[in-house]
Amino acid sequence: MQMVVRIFAILLLVLLFNYTTTTYSYCADGAKLFRSKCGECHHENGEAPAISPVDYASTQWKRFFDREKHTKKKYIGNKVSPSEMRAVKVYLMDHAADSDHPIAAGSTGRR
């Protein structure tokens, strides 16, 4: 019985470690994707208005992505994959104005 408990504990730790590292890299990828892919248009004097994660609350970002505004535009669908779009969504929601960690675009989050 002790052996079963030990194996279960080890598996739980491995799964937990895998989840936390995957989530972190996913968010880090979201920040990088936001700067590179979204930044192509969303910058000063760009085709679209400059944006930052803190421009909206997390529910507003969620609503924007749930309505699939960008995926309906052909020129964006060719540049940004659905998984990349999800990563950007997570990044924007995690760093929105009402989040625990609001951050401006291009900022490192350090003070």
Side-chain angles (χ1 to χ4, degrees):
M1 183 65 171
Q2 277 185 332
M3 184 65 136
V4 172
V5 171
R6 286 182 185 166
I7 291 173
F8 180 73
I10 291 169
L11 286 174
L12 185 62
L13 287 172
V14 168
L15 289 173
L16 186 62
F17 177 77
N18 187 37
Y19 172 76
T20 57
T21 56
T22 302
T23 302
Y24 174 76
S25 65
Y26 192 69
C27 290
D29 289 346
K32 189 185 302 181
L33 288 166
F34 176 75
R35 284 190 298 277
S36 64
K37 302 267 182 160
C38 303
E40 286 182 25
C41 297
H42 289 283
H43 61 83
E44 268 188 60
N45 303 322
E47 297 172 32
I51 57 171
S52 171
V54 295
D55 287 346
Y56 301 103
S58 57
T59 54
Q60 291 171 300
W61 284 121
K62 181 180 180 330
R63 189 175 336 124
F64 174 82
F65 283 94
D66 286 351
R67 290 181 180 167
E68 298 181 345
K69 296 266 186 179
H70 272 66
T71 54
K72 293 176 184 174
K73 297 179 180 180
K74 291 180 185 176
Y75 65 90
I76 290 176
N78 297 333
K79 294 181 180 182
V80 183
S81 72
S83 63
E84 290 173 330
M85 193 68 85
R86 282 190 301 275
V88 169
K89 176 184 175 182
V90 168
Y91 168 72
L92 291 172
M93 289 177 62
D94 284 351
H95 299 292
D98 63 340
S99 72
D100 291 337
H101 308 287
I103 189 169
S107 172
T108 61
R110 298 181 188 142
R111 295 179 187 231

